[in-house]
Each structure stands twice: as C-alpha cells, then as structure tokens.
Amino acid sequence: MPNLKYPIFNYKIAPKNEGSNDMECWIDGDIVSGEEKDFYDSYLGENSLTSFNSFRDSIHASKPTSLKININSAGGSLSEGIAIHDFIKDCIKDGIDVSTYGIGLVASSATLPFLAVEVSKRHLSDNTLMIV
C-alpha cells in the first residue's frame, strides 16, 4: 500500500502499534461495489472508496484482535453497506473487539457499519453529522 500524504482521507488499515494486532481502519468517501472500486482505482487513481470486498480482504489479511473503525462517509451502495455491517457482526462473533467512531459525516449506508457494534462501542465526535 502506498504511503499517502493525508492517510485520514483514504481507506486503509494500519497497525495502531508496531507488532500489535490492534488495527485502525478508516472508511472515507463513498461505499461502492467492488467493480466500481476497481475501476476508480485503476483508471482514475481514486483510492478513497470502500467496497465490501476490499474491507473484508484487508481485515482478513491483518488478523486483528481489536479493530477501531473511523467513518467519515456520505454512504453509497446499500448492499455493500449491509455486507460490511454483517461482516463486522461476524468479526465480533469471532472474538474481535470492534469499536466505531463517527468523524465529520456518517450518512446513508455508512450508518450501517457504524451501528454494527453495541451502543457502548459507538463514538461520535462533537461535530459529527449523522443522517440515517
């Protein structure tokens, strides 16, 4: 994965501490299908989109024991949002400690990953706009 100048504005997963299995994930930009993400990545160099496939594959490759998901998205594909929500639920069932953080805007299908965790694991920054 390229080293990005402003990683908070791009989808990526990174270890919180070197050598730990604690992971931090950002979902910024639109939630789109895998085909749309591939097109925008390949032809336009746009890497701020998230698809279920890219999200799932990155989590599986990282094998985290805890996962912090930061969300700043206007939403997008409902089916992809539902799939990400269900995948987060499966991660929790598998013993991964997952928490979500809304930053800026959490709207439409982006609310689904945010709401996938129990209430005590959901956090909104002071100025976050959440639109369901």
Side-chain angles (χ1 to χ4, degrees), residues 8 10-14 16 22-28 31 50 55-56 58-59 64 66-73 81 83-92 96-106 109-118 121-125 128:
I8 191 70
N10 293 286
Y11 166 81
K12 76 171 200 167
I13 293 183
K16 286 167 60 176
D22 297 335
M23 303 305 288
E24 189 163 1
C25 171
W26 291 266
I27 298 177
D28 287 316
I31 297 173
T50 302
F55 186 82
R56 178 201 60 209
S58 295
I59 301 294
S66 72
L67 178 62
K68 175 184 176 185
I69 304 171
N70 298 293
I71 303 170
N72 178 22
S73 173
I84 292 170
H85 172 278
D86 292 347
F87 177 72
I88 292 169
K89 290 284 198 185
D90 288 342
C91 288
I92 294 167
I96 299 173
D97 180 28
V98 182
S99 57
T100 57
Y101 293 78
I103 303 167
L105 176 64
V106 180
S109 64
T111 61
L112 296 167
F114 180 79
L115 297 172
V117 301
E118 63 186 61
K121 300 277 187 169
R122 299 177 199 157
H123 310 276
L124 290 172
S125 65
T128 299

CSV table of all heavy atoms in Angstrom, one decimal, residues 8 10-14 16 22-28 31 50 55-56 58-59 64 66-73 81 83-92 96-106 109-118 121-125 128:
chain,number,residue,atom,x,y,z
A,8,ILE,N,-5.7,10.0,6.4
A,8,ILE,CA,-7.1,10.1,7.0
A,8,ILE,C,-8.1,10.2,6.0
A,8,ILE,O,-9.3,9.9,6.2
A,8,ILE,CB,-7.2,11.2,8.1
A,8,ILE,CG1,-8.5,11.1,8.9
A,8,ILE,CG2,-7.1,12.5,7.5
A,8,ILE,CD1,-8.5,9.9,9.8
A,10,ASN,N,-8.2,8.6,3.1
A,10,ASN,CA,-8.2,7.5,2.2
A,10,ASN,C,-8.5,6.2,3.1
A,10,ASN,O,-8.2,6.1,4.2
A,10,ASN,CB,-6.8,7.3,1.6
A,10,ASN,CG,-6.6,8.4,0.6
A,10,ASN,OD1,-7.1,8.4,-0.4
A,10,ASN,ND2,-5.7,9.3,1.0
A,11,TYR,N,-9.1,5.2,2.4
A,11,TYR,CA,-9.4,4.0,3.0
A,11,TYR,C,-8.1,3.2,3.2
A,11,TYR,O,-7.3,3.1,2.3
A,11,TYR,CB,-10.3,3.2,2.1
A,11,TYR,CG,-10.4,1.7,2.5
A,11,TYR,CD1,-11.3,1.3,3.5
A,11,TYR,CD2,-9.7,0.8,1.8
A,11,TYR,CE1,-11.3,0.0,3.9
A,11,TYR,CE2,-9.7,-0.5,2.2
A,11,TYR,CZ,-10.6,-0.9,3.2
A,11,TYR,OH,-10.6,-2.2,3.6
A,12,LYS,N,-7.8,2.8,4.4
A,12,LYS,CA,-6.6,2.0,4.7
A,12,LYS,C,-6.8,1.3,6.0
A,12,LYS,O,-7.6,1.8,6.8
A,12,LYS,CB,-5.3,2.8,4.6
A,12,LYS,CG,-5.1,3.7,5.8
A,12,LYS,CD,-3.7,4.2,5.7
A,12,LYS,CE,-3.3,4.7,7.1
A,12,LYS,NZ,-1.9,4.9,7.2
A,13,ILE,N,-6.0,0.3,6.2
A,13,ILE,CA,-5.9,-0.3,7.5
A,13,ILE,C,-4.4,-0.3,7.9
A,13,ILE,O,-3.6,-0.6,7.1
A,13,ILE,CB,-6.4,-1.7,7.5
A,13,ILE,CG1,-7.9,-1.7,7.2
A,13,ILE,CG2,-6.1,-2.5,8.7
A,13,ILE,CD1,-8.6,-3.0,7.2
A,14,ALA,N,-4.2,0.1,9.2
A,14,ALA,CA,-2.8,0.2,9.6
A,14,ALA,C,-2.7,-0.3,11.1
A,14,ALA,O,-3.7,-0.1,11.8
A,14,ALA,CB,-2.3,1.6,9.5
A,16,LYS,N,-2.1,-0.1,14.9
A,16,LYS,CA,-2.0,1.0,15.8
A,16,LYS,C,-0.6,1.1,16.5
A,16,LYS,O,-0.1,2.2,16.7
A,16,LYS,CB,-3.1,0.9,16.9
A,16,LYS,CG,-4.5,1.2,16.4
A,16,LYS,CD,-5.6,0.8,17.3
A,16,LYS,CE,-5.6,1.4,18.6
A,16,LYS,NZ,-6.7,1.1,19.5
A,22,ASP,N,-3.7,-4.9,17.1
A,22,ASP,CA,-4.7,-3.8,17.2
A,22,ASP,C,-4.7,-3.1,15.9
A,22,ASP,O,-3.7,-2.6,15.5
A,22,ASP,CB,-4.5,-2.9,18.4
A,22,ASP,CG,-4.5,-3.5,19.7
A,22,ASP,OD1,-5.1,-4.6,19.9
A,22,ASP,OD2,-3.8,-3.0,20.6
A,23,MET,N,-5.9,-3.0,15.2
A,23,MET,CA,-5.9,-2.3,13.9
A,23,MET,C,-6.8,-1.1,14.0
A,23,MET,O,-7.8,-1.1,14.8
A,23,MET,CB,-6.4,-3.3,12.9
A,23,MET,CG,-5.6,-4.6,12.8
A,23,MET,SD,-3.8,-4.3,12.5
A,23,MET,CE,-3.9,-3.7,10.8
A,24,GLU,N,-6.5,-0.2,13.1
A,24,GLU,CA,-7.4,1.0,13.0
A,24,GLU,C,-7.7,1.1,11.5
A,24,GLU,O,-6.8,1.0,10.6
A,24,GLU,CB,-6.6,2.2,13.5
A,24,GLU,CG,-7.5,3.5,13.5
A,24,GLU,CD,-6.9,4.6,14.4
A,24,GLU,OE1,-5.8,4.4,15.0
A,24,GLU,OE2,-7.6,5.6,14.5
A,25,CYS,N,-9.0,1.4,11.2
A,25,CYS,CA,-9.5,1.4,9.8
A,25,CYS,C,-10.2,2.7,9.6
A,25,CYS,O,-10.9,3.2,10.4
A,25,CYS,CB,-10.4,0.2,9.6
A,25,CYS,SG,-11.3,0.2,8.1
A,26,TRP,N,-10.0,3.2,8.4
A,26,TRP,CA,-10.8,4.5,8.0
A,26,TRP,C,-11.7,4.1,6.8
A,26,TRP,O,-11.2,3.5,5.8
A,26,TRP,CB,-9.8,5.6,7.6
A,26,TRP,CG,-9.0,6.1,8.7
A,26,TRP,CD1,-9.3,7.2,9.5
A,26,TRP,CD2,-7.7,5.6,9.2
A,26,TRP,NE1,-8.3,7.4,10.4
A,26,TRP,CE2,-7.3,6.5,10.2
A,26,TRP,CE3,-6.9,4.6,8.8
A,26,TRP,CZ2,-6.2,6.3,10.9
A,26,TRP,CZ3,-5.8,4.4,9.5
A,26,TRP,CH2,-5.4,5.2,10.6
A,27,ILE,N,-12.9,4.5,6.9
A,27,ILE,CA,-13.8,4.4,5.8
A,27,ILE,C,-14.2,5.9,5.5
A,27,ILE,O,-15.0,6.5,6.1
A,27,ILE,CB,-15.1,3.6,6.1
A,27,ILE,CG1,-14.8,2.2,6.4
A,27,ILE,CG2,-16.1,3.7,4.9
A,27,ILE,CD1,-15.9,1.3,6.8
A,28,ASP,N,-13.5,6.4,4.5
A,28,ASP,CA,-13.8,7.8,4.0
A,28,ASP,C,-14.2,7.7,2.5
A,28,ASP,O,-13.7,6.9,1.8
A,28,ASP,CB,-12.5,8.6,4.1
A,28,ASP,CG,-12.2,9.0,5.5
A,28,ASP,OD1,-13.0,9.4,6.3
A,28,ASP,OD2,-11.0,8.9,5.8
A,31,ILE,N,-19.1,4.4,-0.3
A,31,ILE,CA,-19.2,3.0,-0.2
A,31,ILE,C,-19.7,2.5,-1.6
A,31,ILE,O,-20.8,2.8,-1.9
A,31,ILE,CB,-20.0,2.5,0.9
A,31,ILE,CG1,-19.4,3.0,2.3
A,31,ILE,CG2,-20.2,1.0,0.9
A,31,ILE,CD1,-20.3,2.7,3.5
A,50,THR,N,-14.6,2.7,-0.6
A,50,THR,CA,-14.6,1.4,0.1
A,50,THR,C,-15.6,0.5,-0.5
A,50,THR,O,-16.7,0.9,-0.7
A,50,THR,CB,-14.9,1.7,1.6
A,50,THR,OG1,-14.0,2.6,2.1
A,50,THR,CG2,-14.9,0.4,2.4
A,55,PHE,N,-12.7,-4.1,2.1
A,55,PHE,CA,-12.8,-4.1,3.5
A,55,PHE,C,-12.5,-5.4,4.1
A,55,PHE,O,-11.6,-5.6,5.0
A,55,PHE,CB,-14.1,-3.5,4.0
A,55,PHE,CG,-14.3,-3.3,5.4
A,55,PHE,CD1,-13.8,-2.1,6.0
A,55,PHE,CD2,-14.9,-4.2,6.2
A,55,PHE,CE1,-13.9,-1.9,7.3
A,55,PHE,CE2,-15.0,-4.0,7.6
A,55,PHE,CZ,-14.5,-2.8,8.1
A,56,ARG,N,-13.3,-6.4,3.7
A,56,ARG,CA,-13.1,-7.8,4.2
A,56,ARG,C,-11.7,-8.4,4.0
A,56,ARG,O,-11.1,-8.9,4.9
A,56,ARG,CB,-14.2,-8.7,3.5
A,56,ARG,CG,-14.1,-10.2,3.9
A,56,ARG,CD,-14.7,-11.1,2.9
A,56,ARG,NE,-14.0,-11.0,1.6
A,56,ARG,CZ,-14.6,-11.2,0.4
A,56,ARG,NH1,-15.8,-11.5,0.3
A,56,ARG,NH2,-13.9,-11.0,-0.7
A,58,SER,N,-8.9,-6.8,3.5
A,58,SER,CA,-7.9,-6.2,4.4
A,58,SER,C,-7.9,-6.6,5.8
A,58,SER,O,-6.9,-6.8,6.5
A,58,SER,CB,-8.1,-4.7,4.3
A,58,SER,OG,-7.8,-4.2,3.0
A,59,ILE,N,-9.2,-6.8,6.3
A,59,ILE,CA,-9.3,-7.3,7.7
A,59,ILE,C,-8.8,-8.7,7.8
A,59,ILE,O,-8.0,-9.0,8.8
A,59,ILE,CB,-10.8,-7.2,8.2
A,59,ILE,CG1,-11.3,-5.8,8.1
A,59,ILE,CG2,-10.9,-7.8,9.6
A,59,ILE,CD1,-10.7,-4.8,9.0
A,64,PRO,N,-6.7,-9.0,13.0
A,64,PRO,CA,-6.7,-8.2,14.2
A,64,PRO,C,-7.3,-8.9,15.4
A,64,PRO,O,-8.2,-9.7,15.2
A,64,PRO,CB,-7.4,-6.9,13.8
A,64,PRO,CG,-8.4,-7.4,12.8
A,64,PRO,CD,-7.7,-8.5,12.1
A,66,SER,N,-8.3,-6.5,17.9
A,66,SER,CA,-9.2,-5.4,18.1
A,66,SER,C,-9.1,-4.5,16.9
A,66,SER,O,-8.1,-4.5,16.2
A,66,SER,CB,-8.8,-4.6,19.4
A,66,SER,OG,-7.6,-3.9,19.2
A,67,LEU,N,-10.3,-3.9,16.6
A,67,LEU,CA,-10.4,-3.1,15.4
A,67,LEU,C,-11.2,-1.8,15.7
A,67,LEU,O,-12.3,-1.8,16.3
A,67,LEU,CB,-11.2,-3.9,14.4
A,67,LEU,CG,-11.5,-3.2,13.0
A,67,LEU,CD1,-10.2,-2.8,12.3
A,67,LEU,CD2,-12.3,-4.1,12.2
A,68,LYS,N,-10.6,-0.7,15.4
A,68,LYS,CA,-11.2,0.6,15.5
A,68,LYS,C,-11.5,1.1,14.1
A,68,LYS,O,-10.6,1.3,13.3
A,68,LYS,CB,-10.3,1.6,16.2
A,68,LYS,CG,-10.8,3.0,16.3
A,68,LYS,CD,-9.8,4.0,16.9
A,68,LYS,CE,-10.3,5.4,16.9
A,68,LYS,NZ,-9.3,6.4,17.4
A,69,ILE,N,-12.8,1.4,13.9
A,69,ILE,CA,-13.3,1.8,12.6
A,69,ILE,C,-13.7,3.2,12.6
A,69,ILE,O,-14.7,3.6,13.3
A,69,ILE,CB,-14.4,0.9,12.0
A,69,ILE,CG1,-14.0,-0.6,12.0
A,69,ILE,CG2,-14.9,1.3,10.6
A,69,ILE,CD1,-15.2,-1.5,11.8
A,70,ASN,N,-13.0,4.1,11.9
A,70,ASN,CA,-13.3,5.5,11.8
A,70,ASN,C,-14.1,5.7,10.5
A,70,ASN,O,-13.7,5.3,9.5
A,70,ASN,CB,-12.0,6.4,11.8
A,70,ASN,CG,-11.2,6.2,13.0
A,70,ASN,OD1,-11.6,6.6,14.1
A,70,ASN,ND2,-10.1,5.6,12.9
A,71,ILE,N,-15.3,6.4,10.6
A,71,ILE,CA,-16.1,6.6,9.5
A,71,ILE,C,-16.4,8.0,9.2
A,71,ILE,O,-16.8,8.8,10.1
A,71,ILE,CB,-17.5,5.8,9.7
A,71,ILE,CG1,-17.2,4.3,10.0
A,71,ILE,CG2,-18.4,6.0,8.5
A,71,ILE,CD1,-18.4,3.6,10.4
A,72,ASN,N,-16.1,8.5,8.0
A,72,ASN,CA,-16.4,9.8,7.5
A,72,ASN,C,-16.9,9.6,6.1
A,72,ASN,O,-16.1,9.7,5.2
A,72,ASN,CB,-15.2,10.7,7.6
A,72,ASN,CG,-15.5,12.1,7.1
A,72,ASN,OD1,-16.7,12.5,7.0
A,72,ASN,ND2,-14.5,12.8,6.6
A,73,SER,N,-18.2,9.3,5.9
A,73,SER,CA,-18.7,9.0,4.6
A,73,SER,C,-20.2,9.4,4.5
A,73,SER,O,-21.0,9.3,5.4
A,73,SER,CB,-18.6,7.5,4.4
A,73,SER,OG,-19.2,7.0,3.2
A,81,GLY,N,-23.0,-1.6,2.1
A,81,GLY,CA,-23.1,-1.2,3.5
A,81,GLY,C,-23.7,-2.3,4.3
A,81,GLY,O,-23.2,-2.6,5.5
A,83,ALA,N,-23.5,-5.6,3.7
A,83,ALA,CA,-22.4,-6.6,3.7
A,83,ALA,C,-21.3,-6.2,4.7
A,83,ALA,O,-20.9,-7.1,5.5
A,83,ALA,CB,-21.9,-6.8,2.3
A,84,ILE,N,-20.9,-5.0,4.7
A,84,ILE,CA,-19.9,-4.5,5.7
A,84,ILE,C,-20.4,-4.7,7.1
A,84,ILE,O,-19.7,-5.1,8.0
A,84,ILE,CB,-19.4,-3.1,5.4
A,84,ILE,CG1,-18.6,-3.1,4.1
A,84,ILE,CG2,-18.6,-2.6,6.5
A,84,ILE,CD1,-18.4,-1.7,3.6
A,85,HIS,N,-21.7,-4.3,7.3
A,85,HIS,CA,-22.3,-4.4,8.7
A,85,HIS,C,-22.3,-5.8,9.1
A,85,HIS,O,-21.9,-6.1,10.2
A,85,HIS,CB,-23.8,-3.9,8.6
A,85,HIS,CG,-24.6,-4.1,9.8
A,85,HIS,ND1,-25.2,-5.3,10.0
A,85,HIS,CD2,-24.9,-3.3,10.8
A,85,HIS,CE1,-25.9,-5.3,11.1
A,85,HIS,NE2,-25.7,-4.1,11.7
A,86,ASP,N,-22.8,-6.8,8.3
A,86,ASP,CA,-22.8,-8.2,8.6
A,86,ASP,C,-21.4,-8.7,8.9
A,86,ASP,O,-21.2,-9.6,9.8
A,86,ASP,CB,-23.5,-9.0,7.6
A,86,ASP,CG,-25.0,-8.6,7.5
A,86,ASP,OD1,-25.5,-8.0,8.4
A,86,ASP,OD2,-25.7,-9.0,6.5
A,87,PHE,N,-20.4,-8.3,8.1
A,87,PHE,CA,-19.1,-8.8,8.3
A,87,PHE,C,-18.5,-8.3,9.6
A,87,PHE,O,-17.9,-9.1,10.3
A,87,PHE,CB,-18.2,-8.2,7.2
A,87,PHE,CG,-16.7,-8.6,7.4
A,87,PHE,CD1,-16.3,-9.9,7.2
A,87,PHE,CD2,-15.8,-7.7,7.7
A,87,PHE,CE1,-15.0,-10.3,7.4
A,87,PHE,CE2,-14.5,-8.0,7.9
A,87,PHE,CZ,-14.1,-9.3,7.8
A,88,ILE,N,-18.8,-7.1,10.0
A,88,ILE,CA,-18.4,-6.6,11.3
A,88,ILE,C,-19.0,-7.4,12.4
A,88,ILE,O,-18.4,-7.8,13.4
A,88,ILE,CB,-18.7,-5.1,11.5
A,88,ILE,CG1,-17.9,-4.2,10.6
A,88,ILE,CG2,-18.6,-4.6,12.9
A,88,ILE,CD1,-18.3,-2.8,10.4
A,89,LYS,N,-20.3,-7.7,12.3
A,89,LYS,CA,-21.0,-8.6,13.3
A,89,LYS,C,-20.3,-9.9,13.4
A,89,LYS,O,-20.1,-10.5,14.5
A,89,LYS,CB,-22.5,-8.8,12.9
A,89,LYS,CG,-23.4,-7.6,13.0
A,89,LYS,CD,-23.7,-7.4,14.5
A,89,LYS,CE,-24.8,-6.5,14.7
A,89,LYS,NZ,-25.1,-6.2,16.1
A,90,ASP,N,-19.9,-10.5,12.2
A,90,ASP,CA,-19.2,-11.8,12.2
A,90,ASP,C,-17.8,-11.6,12.9
A,90,ASP,O,-17.4,-12.6,13.6
A,90,ASP,CB,-19.0,-12.3,10.8
A,90,ASP,CG,-20.3,-12.8,10.2
A,90,ASP,OD1,-21.2,-13.1,10.9
A,90,ASP,OD2,-20.3,-12.9,9.0
A,91,CYS,N,-17.1,-10.5,12.7
A,91,CYS,CA,-15.9,-10.3,13.4
A,91,CYS,C,-16.0,-10.3,14.9
A,91,CYS,O,-15.2,-10.9,15.6
A,91,CYS,CB,-15.3,-8.9,13.0
A,91,CYS,SG,-14.6,-8.9,11.3
A,92,ILE,N,-17.1,-9.7,15.4
A,92,ILE,CA,-17.4,-9.6,16.8
A,92,ILE,C,-17.7,-11.0,17.3
A,92,ILE,O,-17.1,-11.4,18.4
A,92,ILE,CB,-18.6,-8.7,17.1
A,92,ILE,CG1,-18.2,-7.2,16.8
A,92,ILE,CG2,-19.1,-8.8,18.5
A,92,ILE,CD1,-19.4,-6.3,16.7
A,96,ILE,N,-13.2,-10.6,17.9
A,96,ILE,CA,-12.5,-9.3,17.6
A,96,ILE,C,-13.3,-8.2,18.3
A,96,ILE,O,-14.5,-8.1,18.2
A,96,ILE,CB,-12.4,-9.0,16.1
A,96,ILE,CG1,-11.6,-10.1,15.4
A,96,ILE,CG2,-11.7,-7.7,15.9
A,96,ILE,CD1,-11.6,-10.0,13.9
A,97,ASP,N,-12.5,-7.4,19.1
A,97,ASP,CA,-13.1,-6.3,19.8
A,97,ASP,C,-13.2,-5.1,18.9
A,97,ASP,O,-12.2,-4.5,18.5
A,97,ASP,CB,-12.2,-5.9,21.0
A,97,ASP,CG,-12.7,-4.8,21.8
A,97,ASP,OD1,-13.9,-4.6,21.8
A,97,ASP,OD2,-11.9,-4.1,22.4
A,98,VAL,N,-14.4,-4.8,18.4
A,98,VAL,CA,-14.6,-3.8,17.4
A,98,VAL,C,-15.3,-2.6,18.0
A,98,VAL,O,-16.3,-2.7,18.8
A,98,VAL,CB,-15.5,-4.3,16.2
A,98,VAL,CG1,-15.7,-3.3,15.1
A,98,VAL,CG2,-14.9,-5.6,15.7
A,99,SER,N,-14.8,-1.4,17.7
A,99,SER,CA,-15.5,-0.1,18.0
A,99,SER,C,-15.5,0.8,16.8
A,99,SER,O,-14.7,0.7,15.9
A,99,SER,CB,-14.7,0.6,19.2
A,99,SER,OG,-13.4,0.8,18.8
A,100,THR,N,-16.6,1.7,16.8
A,100,THR,CA,-16.7,2.6,15.6
A,100,THR,C,-16.7,4.0,16.1
A,100,THR,O,-17.1,4.3,17.2
A,100,THR,CB,-18.0,2.3,14.9
A,100,THR,OG1,-19.1,2.4,15.8
A,100,THR,CG2,-18.0,0.9,14.2
A,101,TYR,N,-16.2,4.9,15.3
A,101,TYR,CA,-16.0,6.3,15.5
A,101,TYR,C,-16.5,7.1,14.4
A,101,TYR,O,-16.0,7.0,13.3
A,101,TYR,CB,-14.6,6.7,15.8
A,101,TYR,CG,-14.1,6.0,17.1
A,101,TYR,CD1,-13.7,4.7,17.1
A,101,TYR,CD2,-14.0,6.8,18.3
A,101,TYR,CE1,-13.2,4.1,18.3
A,101,TYR,CE2,-13.5,6.2,19.5
A,101,TYR,CZ,-13.2,4.9,19.5
A,101,TYR,OH,-12.8,4.3,20.6
A,102,GLY,N,-17.5,7.9,14.6
A,102,GLY,CA,-18.0,8.8,13.5
A,102,GLY,C,-17.3,10.1,13.6
A,102,GLY,O,-17.2,10.7,14.7
A,103,ILE,N,-16.8,10.5,12.5
A,103,ILE,CA,-16.0,11.8,12.4
A,103,ILE,C,-16.5,12.5,11.2
A,103,ILE,O,-16.5,12.0,10.0
A,103,ILE,CB,-14.5,11.5,12.2
A,103,ILE,CG1,-14.0,10.6,13.3
A,103,ILE,CG2,-13.7,12.7,12.0
A,103,ILE,CD1,-12.6,10.0,13.1
A,104,GLY,N,-17.0,13.7,11.4
A,104,GLY,CA,-17.5,14.5,10.2
A,104,GLY,C,-18.9,14.2,9.8
A,104,GLY,O,-19.8,14.7,10.4
A,105,LEU,N,-19.0,13.3,8.9
A,105,LEU,CA,-20.3,12.9,8.3
A,105,LEU,C,-20.5,11.4,8.3
A,105,LEU,O,-19.6,10.7,7.8
A,105,LEU,CB,-20.5,13.4,6.9
A,105,LEU,CG,-21.8,13.0,6.2
A,105,LEU,CD1,-23.0,13.6,6.9
A,105,LEU,CD2,-21.7,13.5,4.7
A,106,VAL,N,-21.6,10.9,8.9
A,106,VAL,CA,-21.9,9.5,8.8
A,106,VAL,C,-23.3,9.4,8.3
A,106,VAL,O,-24.3,9.8,9.1
A,106,VAL,CB,-21.8,8.8,10.2
A,106,VAL,CG1,-22.2,7.3,10.1
A,106,VAL,CG2,-20.4,8.9,10.8
A,109,SER,N,-25.8,4.7,3.8
A,109,SER,CA,-25.3,3.3,4.1
A,109,SER,C,-24.1,3.3,5.0
A,109,SER,O,-23.7,2.3,5.5
A,109,SER,CB,-25.0,2.6,2.8
A,109,SER,OG,-24.0,3.2,2.1
A,110,ALA,N,-23.4,4.4,5.2
A,110,ALA,CA,-22.3,4.5,6.1
A,110,ALA,C,-22.7,4.3,7.6
A,110,ALA,O,-21.9,4.0,8.5
A,110,ALA,CB,-21.5,5.8,6.0
A,111,THR,N,-24.0,4.5,7.8
A,111,THR,CA,-24.5,4.3,9.2
A,111,THR,C,-24.6,2.9,9.6
A,111,THR,O,-24.5,2.5,10.8
A,111,THR,CB,-25.9,4.9,9.4
A,111,THR,OG1,-26.9,4.3,8.5
A,111,THR,CG2,-26.0,6.4,9.2
A,112,LEU,N,-24.6,2.0,8.6
A,112,LEU,CA,-24.7,0.5,8.9
A,112,LEU,C,-23.5,0.0,9.5
A,112,LEU,O,-23.6,-0.7,10.5
A,112,LEU,CB,-25.1,-0.2,7.6
A,112,LEU,CG,-26.5,0.1,7.0
A,112,LEU,CD1,-26.6,-0.4,5.6
A,112,LEU,CD2,-27.5,-0.4,7.9
A,113,PRO,N,-22.3,0.3,9.0
A,113,PRO,CA,-21.1,-0.2,9.7
A,113,PRO,C,-21.0,0.5,11.1
A,113,PRO,O,-20.6,-0.2,12.1
A,113,PRO,CB,-19.9,0.3,8.8
A,113,PRO,CG,-20.5,0.5,7.5
A,113,PRO,CD,-21.9,0.8,7.7
A,114,PHE,N,-21.4,1.8,11.2
A,114,PHE,CA,-21.3,2.5,12.5
A,114,PHE,C,-22.2,1.8,13.5
A,114,PHE,O,-21.8,1.6,14.7
A,114,PHE,CB,-21.7,3.9,12.3
A,114,PHE,CG,-21.7,4.7,13.6
A,114,PHE,CD1,-20.5,5.2,14.1
A,114,PHE,CD2,-22.8,4.9,14.3
A,114,PHE,CE1,-20.4,5.9,15.3
A,114,PHE,CE2,-22.8,5.6,15.5
A,114,PHE,CZ,-21.6,6.1,16.0
A,115,LEU,N,-23.4,1.3,13.1
A,115,LEU,CA,-24.3,0.8,14.1
A,115,LEU,C,-24.1,-0.7,14.3
A,115,LEU,O,-24.9,-1.3,15.1
A,115,LEU,CB,-25.8,1.0,13.6
A,115,LEU,CG,-26.2,2.5,13.5
A,115,LEU,CD1,-27.5,2.6,12.8
A,115,LEU,CD2,-26.2,3.1,14.8
A,116,ALA,N,-23.1,-1.4,13.7
A,116,ALA,CA,-22.9,-2.8,13.8
A,116,ALA,C,-22.4,-3.2,15.2
A,116,ALA,O,-22.5,-4.4,15.5
A,116,ALA,CB,-21.9,-3.3,12.7
A,117,VAL,N,-21.9,-2.3,15.9
A,117,VAL,CA,-21.4,-2.6,17.3
A,117,VAL,C,-22.4,-2.2,18.3
A,117,VAL,O,-23.3,-1.4,18.1
A,117,VAL,CB,-20.0,-2.0,17.5
A,117,VAL,CG1,-19.0,-2.4,16.4
A,117,VAL,CG2,-20.1,-0.5,17.5
A,118,GLU,N,-22.2,-2.8,19.5
A,118,GLU,CA,-23.1,-2.4,20.6
A,118,GLU,C,-22.9,-0.9,21.0
A,118,GLU,O,-21.9,-0.3,20.7
A,118,GLU,CB,-22.8,-3.3,21.9
A,118,GLU,CG,-21.4,-3.1,22.4
A,118,GLU,CD,-21.2,-4.1,23.6
A,118,GLU,OE1,-21.2,-5.3,23.3
A,118,GLU,OE2,-20.9,-3.6,24.7
A,121,LYS,N,-19.8,0.8,22.3
A,121,LYS,CA,-18.6,0.8,21.4
A,121,LYS,C,-18.8,1.8,20.3
A,121,LYS,O,-17.9,1.8,19.4
A,121,LYS,CB,-18.4,-0.6,20.8
A,121,LYS,CG,-18.2,-1.7,21.9
A,121,LYS,CD,-16.8,-1.7,22.3
A,121,LYS,CE,-16.5,-2.9,23.2
A,121,LYS,NZ,-15.1,-3.1,23.4
A,122,ARG,N,-19.9,2.6,20.3
A,122,ARG,CA,-20.1,3.6,19.2
A,122,ARG,C,-19.7,5.0,19.8
A,122,ARG,O,-20.1,5.3,20.9
A,122,ARG,CB,-21.6,3.7,18.8
A,122,ARG,CG,-22.1,2.4,18.3
A,122,ARG,CD,-23.6,2.6,18.0
A,122,ARG,NE,-24.2,1.3,17.8
A,122,ARG,CZ,-25.5,1.1,18.0
A,122,ARG,NH1,-26.3,2.0,18.3
A,122,ARG,NH2,-25.9,-0.2,17.9
A,123,HIS,N,-18.9,5.7,19.0
A,123,HIS,CA,-18.5,7.0,19.4
A,123,HIS,C,-18.7,8.0,18.3
A,123,HIS,O,-18.4,7.7,17.1
A,123,HIS,CB,-17.0,7.0,19.8
A,123,HIS,CG,-16.7,5.9,20.8
A,123,HIS,ND1,-16.9,6.0,22.1
A,123,HIS,CD2,-16.2,4.6,20.6
A,123,HIS,CE1,-16.5,4.9,22.7
A,123,HIS,NE2,-16.1,4.0,21.8
A,124,LEU,N,-19.2,9.2,18.6
A,124,LEU,CA,-19.3,10.3,17.6
A,124,LEU,C,-18.5,11.5,18.1
A,124,LEU,O,-18.6,11.9,19.3
A,124,LEU,CB,-20.8,10.7,17.5
A,124,LEU,CG,-21.7,9.8,16.8
A,124,LEU,CD1,-23.1,10.3,16.9
A,124,LEU,CD2,-21.3,9.6,15.3
A,125,SER,N,-17.7,12.1,17.2
A,125,SER,CA,-17.0,13.3,17.6
A,125,SER,C,-18.1,14.4,17.8
A,125,SER,O,-19.2,14.3,17.4
A,125,SER,CB,-16.0,13.7,16.6
A,125,SER,OG,-16.6,14.1,15.4
A,128,THR,N,-20.0,15.7,14.6
A,128,THR,CA,-20.4,14.8,13.6
A,128,THR,C,-21.8,14.9,13.2
A,128,THR,O,-22.7,15.1,14.1
A,128,THR,CB,-20.1,13.3,14.1
A,128,THR,OG1,-18.7,13.1,14.3
A,128,THR,CG2,-20.6,12.3,13.0
